[in-house]
Amino acid sequence: MPSKPLRIATVNVNGIRAAYRKGMGEWLEGRGVDVLALQEVRASTEDIEGLLGPAWNILHDPATAKGRAGVALASRDRANIHRVTFGPDDFDSAGRWLEADYEWGDTLVTVVSTYVHSGEVGTQKQVEKFTFLDAMLKHLPLLQEHNPLSLVLGDLNVGHRTLDIKNWRGNQKKAGFLPEERAYFDRFVGAQDDPAYNNGAGLGWVDVGRRWAGEVEGPYTWWSQRGKAFDTDTGWRLDYQLATAELAATVADYAIDRASAWDTRWSDHAPVVVDYAL
């Protein structure tokens, strides 16, 4: 058994090259992360390798359209196998779903980095978002069958509950907080009025952030670049670690690495860092 917990972090970097110019490298160097899930990479594999350095093994699934989306997994040890097949055959999910198996001691952990579409009500972007969420509903049970120690990380672009968005009343008709979107999360982890919510309800997955924080507002992981959203903590909780029940039972620590000030941020999202005592 390893002498330390497995530390897994996820962050939407909003362009990894820009994030590194603003200080992402210093954060990563001092954080002791074993597996890092990245979203909105918007760079080449060579760019990622050059920025992170030779100590990291990189898996990268770029988007079809250059300069958009892109997900990656970086680890201290090489993955056993990785997969990018996801959703209907005629659906372009490139740059949005990347899963890999990692060995931690004698334990196999399956990790997914995913970037759900942001959506836009009344447009094709929203149709694509629902297609992606439909594919997640079908794929999550397959992940559980593949490995009871599985983890879906990333910017899921939905605030599940009113606790997950500061100004929820004014956003109920906007992408990211639509009732139809939130219903998918009821299927993933259960509805809040279900006695088994986040503890076996729905498909049985666990929202690690909500279980750790409890019934409190936030804590948020994304703040608009406009106005004083960051300074007033007017945010959304869009970045998740969804774990199978068996893996969620091993959580030893959970943190959102919110920047100390607006001008010290290197992304509009904050990293979510969790320790799993396997």
Side-chain angles (χ1 to χ4, degrees):
M1 179 180 294
S3 59
K4 65 181 284 292
L6 173 62
R7 179 164 291 177
I8 301 182
T10 182
V11 61
N12 179 321
V13 294
N14 196 17
I16 194 169
R17 288 169 295 188
Y20 259 77
R21 287 195 298 270
K22 297 174 184 177
M24 177 183 169
E26 289 79 1
W27 166 81
L28 184 58
E29 184 177 348
R31 203 57 177 90
V33 173
D34 299 298
V35 179
L36 174 66
L38 303 171
Q39 302 89 44
E40 262 200 291
V41 173
R42 303 206 303 262
S44 69
T45 303
E46 292 73 20
D47 288 332
I48 306 169
E49 292 173 341
L51 292 169
L52 268 67
W56 291 89
N57 177 254
I58 308 297
L59 298 174
H60 177 218
D61 185 39
T64 302
K66 188 176 180 180
R68 294 184 59 193
V71 289
L73 286 166
S75 61
R76 296 297 189 178
D77 296 309
R78 185 176 297 273
N80 283 8
I81 190 170
H82 72 279
R83 298 162 294 273
V84 297
T85 303
F86 183 76
D89 292 340
D90 60 349
F91 179 61
D92 183 7
S93 62
R96 294 189 179 274
W97 185 274
L98 173 63
E99 61 185 76
D101 293 340
Y102 295 98
E103 288 183 357
W104 186 249
D106 296 329
T107 303
L108 190 71
V109 180
T110 299
V111 181
V112 177
S113 178
T114 188
Y115 176 44
V116 176
H117 305 67
S118 55
E120 185 178 340
V121 175
T123 72
Q124 182 62 28
K125 293 180 180 179
Q126 193 66 37
V127 174
E128 292 174 351
K129 185 174 188 176
F130 285 134
T131 300
F132 194 93
L133 291 169
D134 283 335
M136 281 188 69
L137 277 179
K138 294 178 180 178
H139 195 75
L140 288 178
L142 301 179
L143 267 183
Q144 290 162 303
E145 291 176 13
H146 167 71
N147 187 358
L149 296 175
S150 291
L151 183 64
V152 176
L153 310 170
D155 177 2
L156 302 188
N157 260 318
V158 177
H160 181 202
R161 297 175 53 193
T162 57
L163 295 175
D164 296 320
I165 168 175
K166 188 66 169 284
N167 290 334
W168 64 268
R169 289 180 178 84
N171 284 281
Q172 295 177 82
K173 296 182 180 180
K174 295 181 180 178
F177 201 64
L178 297 174
E180 301 95 318
E181 294 173 335
R182 295 163 61 201
Y184 283 93
F185 283 68
D186 290 347
R187 295 285 304 280
F188 299 157
V189 304
Q192 66 183 83
D193 58 355
D194 189 321
Y197 160 72
N198 220 20
N199 190 29
L203 295 178
W205 290 75
V206 174
D207 176 353
V208 173
R210 180 53 60 207
R211 176 178 283 188
W212 185 269
E215 296 294 295
V216 300
E217 291 186 355
Y220 307 118
T221 65
W222 175 83
W223 302 263
S224 171
Q225 300 278 35
R226 296 178 301 213
K228 298 286 186 179
F230 184 81
D231 295 333
T232 60
D233 200 24
T234 305
W236 297 55
R237 192 173 72 94
L238 298 176
D239 303 87
Y240 292 78
Q241 297 212 15
L242 296 182
T244 53
E246 187 172 335
L247 185 58
T250 73
V251 173
D253 194 37
Y254 173 94
I256 295 173
D257 286 0
R258 188 182 191 274
S260 59
W262 185 91
D263 58 0
T264 65
R265 295 192 301 166
W266 42 265
S267 173
D268 52 351
H269 292 255
V272 177
V273 186
V274 180
D275 288 350
Y276 295 91
L278 298 172

